[in-house]
Amino acid sequence: MNNHSLMLVADVGNTHMVFGLYGGDALLAHWRLASARDYTPDELAWQLHGMFTQSGYTAASVAGIMVASVVPHLDKSLAAACGRIFGQQPAFVGSNEVKIGMAVDYKHPREVGADRIVNAVAARERFGAPVIVMDCGTATTFDVVSPAGHYAGGLIIPGAEVALAALCQRAAKLPEVTLARSEVLIGRDTATSMQAGSYWSAVDALSGLITRLRGQAGYGAAPVVATGGLVPLLIGDLPAVDHHLPYLTLDGLKLLADRHFRAC
């Protein structure tokens, strides 16, 4: 690749920061770091430098950096680290400088998480409107693009892992178990009962919400796009999902980066 031909994007979530490096439309490399809220700029700069060095790319080849963050405590550290390693400041989705090209029908548009907006932009670009995005992570979110192409709103529910962890913490006699697909519905011990209940209730909740959303006027034929870290576990039992795109958020950030840095 020629110098200044790559775009770096970052999806900063509550559990992980996911970075993607794009050359043209190709995702050349991606990395995942824990979203440690006490990261210093020095620590993040060291991590970024190591990611690039190990992957064979140079910081000088990055033409622009686009970030979607739902962890405000990390924004200053990440910006400082980018300045140190790449010699430039990232653009943040949600700032006045970054234009998303989509009307937002929320009562208070700035309340919408940056990652949710990015997912909606990416899904509309690929599948048109209307479209429904289901993102299964720390929280599970549904983001709906209206037939007119607007961000119409959505739903937020606890992620399946979060719900299970809360159950373990709040009930003294229940053991700690991990979320996993249960082959049985009726558990014959406590751990299996918890796994079966957590897994199948998540599947049925997601399936039911998809049905309800498609029951809204104008959304009967809306494709459902799934993304997020828990989707690989759940997708086999969610036939209503039309597309599984693990890097939807990164792709949306790349799209916004192209528009933003081309206009600068």
Side-chain angles (χ1 to χ4, degrees):
M1 290 287 177
N2 295 325
N3 281 351
H4 298 293
S5 62
L6 306 182
M7 289 289 181
L8 179 67
V9 301
D11 174 21
V12 181
N14 289 295
T15 304
H16 291 104
M17 293 183 281
V18 183
F19 295 85
L21 185 67
Y22 284 83
D25 292 329
L27 179 59
L28 303 177
H30 56 88
W31 309 275
R32 183 180 296 265
L33 303 178
S35 292
R37 299 190 182 213
D38 56 352
Y39 263 137
T40 67
D42 288 340
E43 290 170 325
L44 271 175
W46 179 257
Q47 297 270 23
L48 289 171
H49 176 72
M51 291 187 320
F52 266 71
T53 299
Q54 292 174 12
S55 299
Y57 298 99
T58 63
S61 64
V62 173
I65 309 165
M66 183 67 67
V67 177
S69 172
V70 296
V71 189
H73 296 300
L74 282 172
D75 293 354
K76 287 185 178 180
S77 291
L78 180 57
C82 287
R84 188 169 305 174
I85 299 299
F86 304 105
Q88 58 183 297
Q89 291 295 301
F92 284 84
V93 177
S95 66
N96 292 331
E97 293 76 23
V98 176
K99 307 303 180 185
I100 62 171
M102 174 181 283
V104 178
D105 293 342
Y106 241 47
K107 290 181 180 178
H108 305 288
R110 290 193 176 275
E111 290 181 359
V112 188
D115 55 338
R116 300 179 67 193
I117 292 293
V118 171
N119 284 345
V121 168
R124 186 186 68 175
E125 177 74 11
R126 184 153 180 176
F127 301 107
V131 64
I132 298 166
V133 179
M134 181 184 77
D135 190 342
C136 299
T138 304
T140 295
T141 59
F142 284 86
D143 298 299
V144 180
V145 177
S146 73
H150 299 186
Y151 181 86
L155 303 94
I156 305 173
I157 61 176
E161 286 183 328
V162 169
L164 180 56
L167 178 63
C168 296
Q169 291 169 3
R170 297 290 293 272
K173 287 192 172 183
L174 293 182
E176 289 190 9
V177 298
T178 57
L179 183 69
R181 188 183 191 280
S182 175
E183 299 297 332
V184 301
L185 181 61
I186 302 172
R188 298 186 65 181
D189 59 70
T190 302
T192 304
S193 297
M194 293 171 67
Q195 283 188 329
S198 299
Y199 181 84
W200 291 112
S201 64
V203 166
D204 285 353
L206 299 177
S207 299
L209 287 171
I210 291 171
T211 298
R212 285 183 178 274
L213 286 169
R214 281 180 165 156
Q216 300 292 300
Y219 293 95
V224 176
V225 184
T227 194
L230 286 181
V231 172
L233 175 65
L234 301 165
I235 191 71
D237 294 303
L238 294 172
V241 171
D242 299 290
H243 308 281
H244 175 205
L245 299 179
Y247 303 114
L248 180 71
T249 312
L250 298 184
D251 289 345
L253 284 166
K254 166 60 166 54
L255 177 67
L256 293 178
D258 283 346
R259 296 174 180 172
H260 177 77
F261 292 105
R262 186 168 58 239
C264 289

